[in-house]
Amino acid sequence: MGKNNSLYIEHLLLNGEYVNVRMADGIFAAIGKDVKPEAGDEIFQTDKNLAIVPPFYNMHTHAAMTLLRGYADDMELFTWLNEHIWPFEAKMTPEDVRIGSELAILEMVKSGTVFFNDMYWNTEETWKVLDRMGIRGCMGITLIDTIGEERIQQSFELLERLSGKNPRIQMSIAPHAVYTVGEKLWIRAAEAARKCGAKIHFHLSETEKEIKDCIAEHGLSPVRWLDQLGVLGPDCIAAHVVHVDDEELAILKERGVTIAHNPVSNMKLYSGYFRSKPAIDSGCRVTIGTDGCSSNNNLDMREETKCASMIAKCNYGPETLPVDMAVDWATKNGAEAFGVNGGEIKVGKVADALLVDLDNERFVPCYNFNSNWVYASSNEAFDTLICDGKIIMKDRKMAEERRIIAEAKACCKKWM
């Protein structure tokens, strides 16, 4: 939608006061009551009462799994994965991944997400969609031992080819998990990522079975085994991290690993409860992700953030994971993990913003904005999403959404 290099918006609520905001060349250039537009600015026109907040960072998902929404429910992880998901995914074409990724980005934009950390097959298709649709992301190239040496080598070549190609899109190598990737491939994957300056994105300590099997095979828990292999470092994004002890949390903190907490998926697949208070006490950087649409079954980061806070309170007391900290987990912490100068509405930060309709019924009354945003609101209050100073969605409308939904419906008919 937005095409100019500069954008001006008047009368936005920020931290309890109304300000004017000017964005230029992809950053917040000026914020304040007396800020005025400059020549050539695109002027944002609205009669709505809006607040400006940082958008969400979805730190672990499988975007094209939107096409598997509701396909296999109400079972534990390994039955779900081995008997349902992997056989389905084996039938998916690159075109299916393109269609599913478009649907995912549409859903994420309309629920206030500006960045997603993906892990899936046919990564280049999702990369092309993300390049065109205008938000940020990290595209993970999935590795498991059984895909064979030729595809593994092609994966490393793709990592090199796409790294640095678009400043909005980072790359990662994504060794799936300790139960699908052996020692040699873990080491190769870490070396390849570090050669390219890419991230390493993987599932870690998601289920009790994973822990028991890893100890049986390697004599160590997954965290300790990967640490022994030299994999763990500040370039690692570890999803789930449910079944870890205090010593393992200390290892993750020392190595600078970012944890991507997935509360809804953990509950739905009976994986367990994340140890939120020990993780906070350890000093680990914690972020939030939705996981994929077949294990959630949506990409709604506001809902995910609320669930993270509620589960923490249920297990550790009502003071645990207060709303302001939960917002940081869902926004600022993700930006920091990926080295994006964002996650906050401040001059000099990247011009990413979510505009929220304060006249939506769930923002009335508004004693505490963050409380309403996380605990009360819904996506219907999310009016506008801006990335890099460009309008991606306005008035809850995004370019091509009817086409995207129609294509996804048509695509899924062959599996029904």
Side-chain angles (χ1 to χ4, degrees), residues 344-397:
E344 299 176 279
I345 309 298
K346 291 183 178 179
V347 171
K349 298 287 186 178
V350 294
D352 296 349
L354 174 63
L355 306 187
V356 178
D357 184 358
L358 292 169
D359 290 330
N360 180 275
E361 67 277 4
R362 294 196 184 187
F363 276 88
V364 181
C366 196
Y367 303 116
N368 179 319
F369 178 86
N370 278 351
S371 174
N372 282 3
W373 180 22
V374 174
Y375 295 155
S377 74
S378 74
N379 295 339
E380 292 303 312
F382 298 169
D383 182 84
T384 297
L385 186 78
I386 297 166
C387 179
D388 227 19
K390 296 180 175 60
I391 298 169
I392 307 298
M393 171 184 73
K394 185 179 181 184
D395 296 323
R396 291 203 52 74
K397 294 182 177 63

Side-chain angles (χ1 to χ4, degrees), residues 157-411:
E157 291 169 1
L158 182 64
L159 178 70
E160 291 192 16
R161 179 158 57 83
L162 293 181
S163 291
K165 196 172 179 180
N166 181 325
R168 282 187 291 103
I169 307 175
Q170 299 188 40
M171 296 300 298
S172 75
I173 202 72
H176 175 262
V178 298
Y179 52 87
T180 51
V181 178
E183 177 177 333
K184 290 182 180 180
L185 188 52
W186 273 107
I187 293 170
R188 286 177 67 189
E191 289 174 349
R194 285 161 185 159
K195 178 183 175 183
C196 295
K199 298 295 184 183
I200 310 168
H201 176 198
F202 48 88
H203 302 91
L204 181 66
S205 299
E206 184 174 359
T207 66
E208 289 182 343
K209 174 176 167 52
E210 177 186 333
I211 309 304
K212 292 174 182 177
D213 289 351
C214 190
I215 291 172
E217 184 173 359
H218 304 293
L220 294 167
S221 67
V223 171
R224 293 180 177 90
W225 184 56
L226 293 183
D227 191 45
Q228 183 184 78
L229 296 181
V231 170
L232 301 182
D235 48 5
C236 291
I237 313 295
H240 300 288
V241 195
V242 175
H243 299 281
V244 288
D245 58 33
D246 290 351
E247 183 182 83
E248 289 171 303
L249 286 170
I251 291 170
L252 295 173
K253 163 62 177 174
E254 184 177 349
R255 300 292 181 256
V257 174
T258 294
I259 297 171
H261 174 31
N262 311 112
V264 173
S265 175
N266 292 341
M267 289 189 289
K268 185 167 182 279
L269 293 172
Y270 190 59
S271 298
Y273 294 120
F274 177 66
R275 300 182 68 226
S276 48
K277 188 175 187 306
I280 293 167
D281 293 344
S282 75
C284 285
R285 180 194 285 128
V286 183
T287 62
I288 295 176
T290 60
D291 211 345
C293 269
S294 188
S295 61
N296 185 300
N297 291 8
N298 63 41
L299 301 171
D300 185 339
M301 278 289 291
R302 187 215 62 86
E303 180 180 273
E304 203 76 24
T305 305
K306 178 177 180 177
C307 286
S309 185
M310 297 300 107
I311 293 167
K313 296 174 191 311
C314 184
N315 285 304
Y316 298 101
E319 300 86 3
T320 309
L321 192 51
V323 69
D324 291 349
M325 181 183 289
V327 167
D328 282 349
W329 281 18
T331 58
K332 180 181 176 182
N333 288 11
E336 289 177 349
F338 278 93
V340 178
N341 185 29
E344 299 176 279
I345 309 298
K346 291 183 178 179
V347 171
K349 298 287 186 178
V350 294
D352 296 349
L354 174 63
L355 306 187
V356 178
D357 184 358
L358 292 169
D359 290 330
N360 180 275
E361 67 277 4
R362 294 196 184 187
F363 276 88
V364 181
C366 196
Y367 303 116
N368 179 319
F369 178 86
N370 278 351
S371 174
N372 282 3
W373 180 22
V374 174
Y375 295 155
S377 74
S378 74
N379 295 339
E380 292 303 312
F382 298 169
D383 182 84
T384 297
L385 186 78
I386 297 166
C387 179
D388 227 19
K390 296 180 175 60
I391 298 169
I392 307 298
M393 171 184 73
K394 185 179 181 184
D395 296 323
R396 291 203 52 74
K397 294 182 177 63
M398 186 179 178
E400 299 188 277
E401 60 181 274
R402 288 188 178 181
R403 175 193 62 78
I404 290 169
I405 291 170
E407 281 195 1
K409 286 181 176 180
C411 176

